[in-house]
Amino acid sequence: MAGKFAFLKEEFLIDGKWDGIDLDASMRHLQAGIGSGGSTISEAAFAALGATSVILTPVIAEQCDAIRVEFETEEGLWTATLELAAQQVAFLNKSTGEVEELPVRPEAGERAAGCFSLARMGIPAMETPRGNVTIDTVLVLVYLQQHHAGRDTFGSVSVADMNLTLEVCFGVLSEETARLKAQARAARSRATRGATAVRKAVEQRQKYGLPTSFDLDMEQERYAKAVDEHAAELLRLAQEIEQHQGVLTGRDAEAARGLQAVSSAGTAADRAHQALASMYERRGLARQRLAVAEEAARPRTHCPECAQSLEARSGEGPLCPVCRQPDPGLPARQAQRAQELARAGEAALAADAELRDAQRIAHKAVDARRKTEQDAQRLAGRTAAYRAQEIAPREAARARARAAESDARARLEAVKARRQELAQIAELEKNAAASSLRADDAEKAWTAAEGDAQEHRQQTAKQLSQIFADIAIPMAPDKIRNAVIDPKTLAPKINNRSLKQLARSAGLVSIAHTAYHLMALEAARSMPLVLLPRCQWLDAPLDGLGGGPEGERLANAVLTVCAEITGADAQLILTTPQALPARPQGLHATKHDSTKPLIPHARPESHER
């Protein structure tokens, strides 16, 4: 039986100030008329204990720096303070002064805050191959979340973890027995995997025709010899290619020098052709000067003004204003013009001769370039022919030899692998036999530890069914004919129907959830092997019951059963968005609205968002 656990107080740190609400009562009712205020308080309380599945509302996340809950156990009074920024929980035992600081989400090897809270509740935190028992799986049994009050009994917790948690918390399996069961299942799984590995190895070997060790050794020798032969052939071809590659390198150098000579000849031809342009220009200027000199040296037979013959000085008509006077310097000028004509003629002849020389040089440069191009082509062709005749066949042969060597090596490795399979199969068979033996030993240990576990499971389910029926049927006697707990899954059934089958009837689903949690509370008090705290927090348990007289009747019946179940040695906290239709004896009710928020010192703007 789990120890005592009860919430006493919940506080919030906002702007350096702690304040909160009192939870110390056997039956506490928090009426949150501002929407999901009840969920805000309940989820914040379990988050402070290290739960990771709850989601804090913006009122908490945006305003609060820390959350602190005070609770009472057999060890004394404790406080759990959650630092929201650091995600660290500090536990303080007010009686002994013991302090523990633990992370909410631990790293490898660290202890989680949820494990410490479970220990305070008297529940072992377990991690087994079959499943885990954590604060979040146990939370499903002590906290009815409003958004989980639907068709699913256990919310979003994994089935494997929840099954183990139910078996441990309801006393079907002890901690040691649960570990032995998980170890037996893991050992049997390993034995099955070993047997499967042996079967697959034998099937693979059968595809090869079940060769013997001698056959594999002969194949290995043959392929090893083939690998050596191909390796020797590769070495011989590599040496020959290296020799011919030296010759080819010399011919490549000659071809490169030929290409360089082509480039040099082309450069010389370009320079010669560029020099011709200036020669043509000088010859043109010389011819122009020669034409001018010839024109100047030519005798004047006509007047430049009137175009009449200078010898016809008599006759009719007016005299020419240019030549009417005799010119005594004419012989001297004519002599000078003759000299200039002779010099211009010599210059023209010299320009022609120089141009002819330059043209001959250009023609020679072009011929030299053509010859060097022919030589370069010849050298390149000789190099390509040598490469195609001497090197290319040997490179192709080397590629074939390399491919043959790779194939032989692959076949050799395959033979070696098949050779090793014989030893591996023997090793696998040995391991499979050992795994099977260990699985048998683990199952024997589990069977010995379990004893009459099936009978105990049936008896536990029968006791829980009786408690569940005594709680659920009075809540709606006209709707519920029978209520039992399935011994296989420990899940509730009403009228022989699961919660999933009852999903269309919202009232029955809500009653089933409430009755199941009250059953857990009563089982924690009356059944010695049940490891659950005598504390339940029900968020919106009356939702779905409907309105009017019928809904009020069902709500009164639910509240009556809640009051009967709760006693001085247990705690029940109800959070609802509406006032209760009746106030059972011993109920401590607190009404919260916009003028009296659940978090007394919260900033008003947080509610306006």
Side-chain angles (χ1 to χ4, degrees):
M1 180 179 293
K4 180 179 180 181
F5 186 91
F7 288 102
L8 302 180
K9 194 173 184 180
E10 184 173 2
E11 296 179 302
F12 304 89
L13 178 63
I14 300 179
D15 297 333
K17 178 183 177 182
W18 284 101
D19 202 352
I21 58 176
D22 186 18
L23 300 177
D24 184 16
S26 296
M27 189 172 181
R28 168 74 64 177
H29 173 228
L30 302 177
Q31 178 188 346
I34 56 174
S36 62
S39 300
T40 299
I41 292 297
S42 56
E43 294 190 355
F46 288 108
L49 295 178
T52 61
S53 60
V54 295
I55 301 175
L56 298 178
T57 60
V59 174
I60 302 294
E62 296 176 4
Q63 296 194 34
C64 298
D65 298 323
I67 305 170
R68 181 169 65 194
V69 293
E70 183 177 339
F71 57 93
E72 184 179 7
T73 66
E74 298 291 350
E75 301 170 347
L77 296 179
W78 288 85
T79 61
T81 306
L82 169 63
E83 297 285 344
L84 292 179
Q87 286 295 293
Q88 291 273 345
V89 180
F91 294 93
L92 170 64
N93 189 327
K94 290 188 173 182
S95 303
T96 63
E98 176 188 355
V99 178
E100 283 280 349
E101 293 187 1
L102 301 171
V104 175
R105 299 182 185 274
E107 300 292 338
E110 292 183 327
R111 189 182 182 190
C115 296
F116 191 84
S117 297
L118 279 186
R120 307 287 75 74
M121 295 180 184
I123 303 174
M126 300 175 59
E127 292 186 6
T128 69
R130 182 170 167 251
N132 302 324
V133 178
T134 63
I135 182 66
D136 294 285
T137 59
V138 174
L139 188 64
V140 176
L141 299 176
V142 299
Y143 171 40
L144 175 59
Q145 294 174 284
Q146 181 180 11
H147 58 283
H148 284 170
R151 66 167 61 183
D152 295 331
T153 308
F154 307 118
S156 58
V157 178
S158 69
V159 176
D161 292 347
M162 202 63 231
N163 288 340
L164 180 61
T165 301
L166 289 172
E167 292 176 343
V168 172
C169 289
F170 284 120
V172 176
L173 296 179
S174 64
E175 181 178 359
E176 182 62 24
T177 307
R179 294 188 184 279
L180 288 175
K181 184 176 182 180
Q183 291 172 2
R185 181 168 296 183
R188 179 55 59 190
S189 177
R190 287 193 295 271
T192 302
R193 289 196 299 270
T196 302
V198 171
R199 178 178 55 81
K200 289 184 177 180
V202 172
E203 291 176 355
Q204 183 69 23
R205 185 167 173 261
Q206 287 176 348
K207 292 181 181 180
Y208 305 137
L210 296 175
T212 63
S213 300
F214 177 77
D215 296 335
L216 294 175
D217 291 341
M218 293 299 295
E219 286 189 14
Q220 182 173 345
E221 183 179 355
R222 183 171 69 255
Y223 288 126
K225 183 178 180 181
V227 168
D228 294 338
E229 291 176 354
H230 291 305
E233 180 67 12
L234 279 174
L235 180 60
R236 183 184 65 79
L237 290 173
Q239 292 174 352
E240 291 182 1
I241 289 175
E242 184 178 1
Q243 294 173 359
H244 290 287
Q245 194 69 41
V247 176
L248 183 64
T249 301
R251 296 195 176 187
D252 284 335
E254 290 180 358
R257 288 194 296 271
L259 291 177
Q260 185 176 3
V262 170
S263 177
S264 301
T267 303
D270 291 339
R271 288 202 205 94
H273 279 288
Q274 290 174 0
L276 286 177
S278 60
M279 298 296 180
Y280 279 112
E281 184 178 359
R282 286 199 294 272
R283 188 183 69 172
L285 293 176
R287 288 183 176 181
Q288 289 178 0
R289 287 195 294 270
L290 177 60
V292 171
E294 288 178 347
E295 180 65 24
R298 190 178 296 117
R300 298 293 185 268
T301 59
H302 293 79
C303 178
E305 182 66 25
C306 63
Q308 295 185 64
S309 176
L310 297 178
E311 295 180 357
R313 294 185 178 275
S314 63
E316 297 180 0
L319 294 177
C320 178
V322 176
C323 57
R324 63 175 55 177
Q325 297 293 334
D327 187 4
L330 180 61
R333 286 196 303 273
Q334 289 179 344
Q336 183 179 0
R337 289 171 182 169
Q339 292 176 359
E340 290 178 355
L341 175 60
R343 286 196 296 269
E346 293 175 357
L349 292 176
D352 289 339
E354 187 178 2
L355 177 59
R356 285 192 299 271
D357 295 339
Q359 287 175 340
R360 284 194 299 271
I361 293 173
H363 287 311
K364 289 180 180 180
V366 170
D367 293 339
R369 182 180 64 183
R370 290 175 181 172
K371 186 177 182 304
T372 53
E373 287 177 350
Q374 293 174 356
D375 293 341
Q377 290 176 357
R378 179 178 57 80
L379 292 174
R382 189 178 66 165
T383 302
Y386 189 84
R387 180 182 290 109
Q389 181 179 359
E390 301 294 341
I391 294 181
R394 288 175 173 81
E395 288 182 342
R398 183 174 62 178
R400 290 192 297 270
R402 185 178 289 113
E405 183 193 21
S406 299
D407 182 68
R409 287 188 184 278
R411 292 176 181 273
L412 178 61
E413 293 301 325
V415 171
K416 289 181 178 179
R418 291 197 298 270
R419 184 68 178 83
Q420 291 176 355
E421 283 179 0
L422 297 176
Q424 289 176 353
I425 289 175
E427 185 67 22
L428 288 174
E429 290 175 347
K430 180 180 178 181
N431 293 337
S435 298
S436 179
L437 182 61
R438 285 194 294 269
D440 294 339
D441 294 341
E443 287 182 353
K444 290 178 182 178
W446 150 242
T447 303
E450 183 186 34
D452 55 348
Q454 295 301 324
E455 180 65 22
H456 177 57
R457 176 184 285 269
Q458 294 291 337
Q459 292 297 326
T460 301
K462 186 180 295 185
Q463 295 179 29
L464 293 176
S465 296
Q466 185 62 48
I467 297 174
F468 184 59
D470 293 342
I471 294 174
I473 293 177
M475 290 183 177
D478 56 332
K479 298 178 181 293
I480 302 177
R481 297 183 302 275
N482 61 74
V484 297
I485 298 298
D486 188 348
K488 292 184 178 180
T489 62
L490 299 179
K493 284 188 175 181
I494 291 181
N495 298 335
N496 296 324
R497 302 169 70 186
S498 65
L499 290 188
K500 185 175 182 179
Q501 296 169 332
L502 290 174
R504 294 184 178 181
S505 177
L508 284 182
V509 172
S510 179
I511 289 174
H513 276 284
T514 303
Y516 192 80
H517 280 268
L518 293 178
M519 176 207 72
L521 180 61
E522 179 61 24
R525 293 193 304 183
S526 60
M527 298 177 65
L529 298 180
V530 173
L531 299 180
L532 282 174
R534 298 187 294 274
C535 176
Q536 287 288 334
W537 196 317
L538 308 181
D539 186 14
L542 305 181
D543 286 3
L545 298 182
E550 177 66 14
E552 184 176 349
R553 182 182 66 82
L554 292 175
N556 287 332
V558 170
L559 291 175
T560 301
V561 174
C562 290
E564 292 175 354
I565 293 297
T566 309
D569 59 344
Q571 183 183 40
L572 180 65
I573 302 176
L574 305 174
T575 56
T576 64
Q578 70 276 356
L580 300 181
R583 183 168 182 174
Q585 185 178 1
L587 177 69
H588 293 265
T590 306
K591 182 178 181 181
H592 299 276
D593 52 26
S594 58
T595 60
K596 188 179 180 182
L598 284 164
I599 306 176
H601 58 311
R603 294 187 290 272
E605 58 267 19
S606 64
H607 303 292
E608 296 174 0
R609 294 179 180 176

